[in-house]
Amino acid sequence: MTNTEQIRTKKISFILALSVIIFAAIATYFTLCHDINIMRITTPVILGLAMSIILCGVLQKFFYNWLTKNPIHFSFGEQSSPIIESESTTEPVCIAETPPTEQLADSSEQEYAPTLQPNQEPVVPDCSNESHLEKYDSILEELKEKELKRQVKVMDAIREYVTIKTAPYLSKEAIATLISNIEYMACDQPELYKPIRSNIDNPLRSPGLRHLAWNVGERLRVPLAKRAVFIKASFPYELENASHEYLRLNLRDQVASQIPIDVPEKGDYRFHLETDNDES
């Protein structure tokens, strides 16, 4: 028995049980309160209904079996259309049928064949695309080599810029450490940063350090968050009270400082050293 049949059987059983309980309650009520015995009235009715249901089921099964063995067409007044047999029968056409390969080839040649004028040579397809694809590896290597040369030029410009701008505030050893930290930032190795402290008599202050980090990071295309980590780790004493979030949001501000903001020209990496020196 399937789950559907079980559920249906449970529902029917529940309805029958509920009907018996309701009938018993009604019979008890009439017997106790009104001294009426409804069993005498309802018993013949119940027996008649039960016999009718059983007889109906038996007759239905009998007629079903008989009609299955002896089918009868009930037209109910509808006229059946006569079947006319034609001498020539048309076979159905399969639209999805794939035509033979030879026919496809012939039709495609006829459809796409160019019409040549007298004394006109046929057009030969250009196969230069294949030669360009064969040069893919060499083109990729050339692009990598150009980018590498550009990075070398950028680092040389940064070394020159940092040396010139921080010479009044840092010792020679501190400038070398700062340049090493910049190289670590370019290689994304913040764990190798070393702390630096500017000169006591002429120290670097927070605005100049923030601008220095922005100027260098802009040439290296480093995110602002990494620039903030770099400058904080390089100058922990000067930036003791500045958080990474504060530095990230204030790297490029308009505050007067020892090292001004140097925005590179579009597509260029060089610094404006002469203008920066005049401003500072």
Side-chain angles (χ1 to χ4, degrees):
M1 184 180 293
T2 61
N3 293 333
T4 305
E5 293 176 352
Q6 291 179 356
I7 294 173
R8 189 183 304 166
T9 304
K10 289 181 179 179
K11 289 182 179 179
I12 294 173
S13 302
F14 175 76
I15 293 172
L16 292 176
L18 185 61
S19 301
V20 172
I21 293 173
I22 294 173
F23 178 78
I26 294 173
T28 305
Y29 170 77
F30 278 102
T31 301
L32 296 177
C33 297
H34 301 282
D35 295 329
I36 299 174
N37 187 4
I38 65 173
M39 291 298 294
R40 296 178 181 178
I41 302 172
T42 57
T43 299
V45 177
I46 294 173
L47 293 176
L49 289 174
M51 292 299 295
S52 300
I53 293 171
I54 295 172
L55 181 61
C56 182
V58 172
L59 292 175
Q60 181 184 4
K61 187 175 182 181
F62 170 78
F63 285 119
Y64 177 80
N65 293 332
W66 187 80
L67 290 173
T68 303
K69 296 178 182 180
N70 304 288
I72 299 176
H73 176 69
F74 297 97
S75 60
F76 296 102
E78 296 181 359
Q79 296 181 356
S80 59
S81 57
I83 300 174
I84 302 175
E85 296 181 0
S86 60
E87 296 180 357
S88 59
T89 58
T90 305
E91 296 182 356
V93 180
C94 183
I95 299 176
E97 184 178 357
T98 305
T101 308
E102 297 179 356
Q103 296 179 1
L104 280 177
D106 296 339
S107 62
S108 61
E109 290 177 0
Q110 294 176 2
E111 184 178 358
Y112 296 101
T115 304
L116 298 178
Q117 301 295 332
N119 301 327
Q120 182 181 357
E121 297 181 357
V123 179
V124 180
D126 186 12
C127 299
S128 59
N129 189 28
E130 297 180 359
S131 61
H132 289 303
L133 290 177
E134 292 177 356
K135 296 179 181 179
Y136 174 80
D137 294 333
S138 60
I139 294 174
L140 190 61
E141 291 295 332
E142 184 179 354
L143 293 175
K144 290 181 179 180
E145 185 177 355
K146 288 182 180 179
E147 181 63 22
L148 182 61
K149 290 181 180 179
R150 181 187 180 281
Q151 291 178 1
V152 172
K153 292 180 180 179
V154 170
M155 285 306 304
D156 288 340
I158 289 175
R159 292 187 185 97
E160 179 186 10
Y161 171 78
V162 170
T163 302
I164 293 175
K165 302 303 293 183
T166 62
Y169 315 103
L170 300 177
S171 63
K172 185 177 181 180
E173 293 77 10
I175 293 176
T177 303
L178 178 60
I179 292 175
S180 297
N181 289 350
I182 293 173
E183 293 174 353
Y184 296 145
M185 178 176 62
C187 298
D188 197 13
Q189 295 177 325
E191 67 278 1
L192 300 179
Y193 292 153
K194 295 180 181 179
I196 307 167
R197 185 167 183 178
S198 57
N199 299 332
I200 299 177
D201 54 345
N202 190 18
L204 276 168
R205 305 190 183 279
S206 177
L209 293 174
R210 298 199 303 270
H211 296 169
L212 175 66
W214 190 91
N215 296 339
V216 173
E218 195 68 13
R219 270 72 180 180
L220 295 175
R221 301 171 184 173
V222 176
L224 296 178
K226 293 184 178 181
R227 301 182 202 181
V229 173
F230 150 74
I231 201 65
K232 174 75 173 180
S234 299
F235 296 91
Y237 180 79
E238 288 81 355
L239 302 174
E240 181 179 3
N241 297 325
S243 62
H244 289 111
E245 184 65 16
Y246 170 81
L247 294 173
R248 184 184 68 84
L249 297 175
N250 294 274
L251 289 175
R252 184 183 176 180
D253 53 14
Q254 302 300 326
V255 179
S257 63
Q258 299 154 315
I259 301 176
I261 289 292
D262 189 334
V263 181
E265 301 294 336
K266 185 177 181 180
D268 197 0
Y269 57 85
R270 290 173 294 183
F271 294 87
H272 305 85
L273 291 173
E274 297 179 357
T275 306
D276 284 352
N277 288 334
D278 293 340
E279 291 181 357
S280 59

